[in-house]
Amino acid sequence: MKSAPGRIRIIGGQLRNSRLDVPDLPGLRPTAERVRETLFNWLAPVIAGARCLDLCAGTGALGIEALSRGAASVQFVERDARAAQALRDNLSRLKAPGGQVAAVDALAFLHGAAQPYGLVFLDPPFALAMWEPIAQRLEQDGWLAPGAWIYVESPRSSALRLPNTWVEHREGAAGEVRYALYRRVLAAA
C-alpha cells in the first residue's frame, strides 16, 4: 500500500492506520512500510516498556511506531527544525504520550549527559555517512543499556564498521537499502 505524497501511515499498535504528515525536505527518506513491519515483528518480544532513542528521526515513523506498540518513551533527535516541528505536530495530533523531540544534530545530542537506552534507531541521511561516528559515541559514552537493541538502516552497498559489541541479530534488504537489527553483547568480565 502506497501512501499519499506527504503522508505515511503507522502500521501497528494503538495508532495503527494513523497518518503522519511528512514535510517536503531534501534528503528526507522515511523508512518503507514493509521494512517497518519486518523490524517491528523482530522487536515484538522486547518493544513493550522499552526506552527508545530515535537518532536522525526525520519523520519519526520508527519512534512513533514504537510508541504505538507499547514503548514507554522515545527521545527523538532531528537536526532540521522544520522536520522537528512536523514531528512535534504529529505527536501532538496523535496524542502520543512519551515522545520528546530535540531539534539538534545527533552528534551534538550525544555530547550531552548520557542516559542508557534499550532500543536505538540509527537511520541518518545517507549522504552524511554518520553511522560510524554515531555508533562509536553510542557505545563509548554510556548511551546503550547492556543488551540494548540497535536498528541500523544504510545503503545496501555500504560496508559499515560498527562496534564489535554489536552482534547482528537479523538483516534484510529492500531495493538499495540494507536494514539490520543488532544486539549489544558485552564480554563477561
Side-chain angles (χ1 to χ4, degrees):
M1 174 179 182
K2 288 208 169 203
S3 301
R7 296 184 74 117
I8 57 175
R9 86 179 170 108
I10 298 303
I11 54 176
Q14 291 180 311
L15 301 172
R16 182 182 183 157
N17 291 325
S18 296
R19 303 287 177 177
L20 301 180
D21 294 324
V22 178
D24 184 15
L25 298 171
L28 189 63
R29 180 192 37 76
T31 299
E33 192 171 294
R34 186 183 87 191
V35 172
R36 280 186 286 125
E37 184 171 11
T38 299
L39 170 62
F40 283 94
N41 285 340
W42 295 344
L43 291 171
V46 299
I47 196 70
R51 201 164 165 273
C52 307
L53 176 60
D54 190 351
L55 289 169
C56 308
T59 64
L62 292 170
I64 293 173
E65 194 78 52
L67 288 171
S68 180
R69 293 170 184 249
S73 64
V74 178
Q75 173 65 61
F76 297 90
V77 178
E78 174 51 50
R79 70 185 177 107
D80 186 284
R82 293 167 297 173
Q85 187 57 53
L87 180 48
R88 284 188 197 96
D89 293 345
N90 280 324
L91 287 167
S92 176
R93 181 176 50 79
L94 296 172
K95 296 176 178 54
Q100 285 191 298
V101 180
V104 64
D105 176 79
L107 285 170
F109 178 84
L110 294 174
H111 276 92
Q115 304 168 39
Y117 289 89
L119 175 58
V120 175
F121 301 106
L122 177 53
D123 179 16
F126 286 6
L128 298 182
M130 294 174 58
W131 297 273
E132 293 168 9
I134 290 174
Q136 285 179 345
R137 185 137 324 266
L138 285 168
E139 183 60 40
Q140 294 170 356
D141 292 350
W143 291 96
L144 299 174
W149 295 92
I150 307 103
Y151 170 75
V152 178
E153 193 168 311
S154 62
R156 194 174 197 168
S157 59
S158 292
L160 302 179
R161 290 182 16 215
L162 300 172
N164 60 7
T165 54
W166 295 15
V167 176
E168 187 178 292
H169 177 68
R170 294 207 173 150
E171 74 164 331
E176 295 303 312
V177 174
R178 176 185 182 270
Y179 54 96
L181 182 63
Y182 295 87
R183 182 85 191 260
R184 184 176 189 233
V185 177
L186 302 175

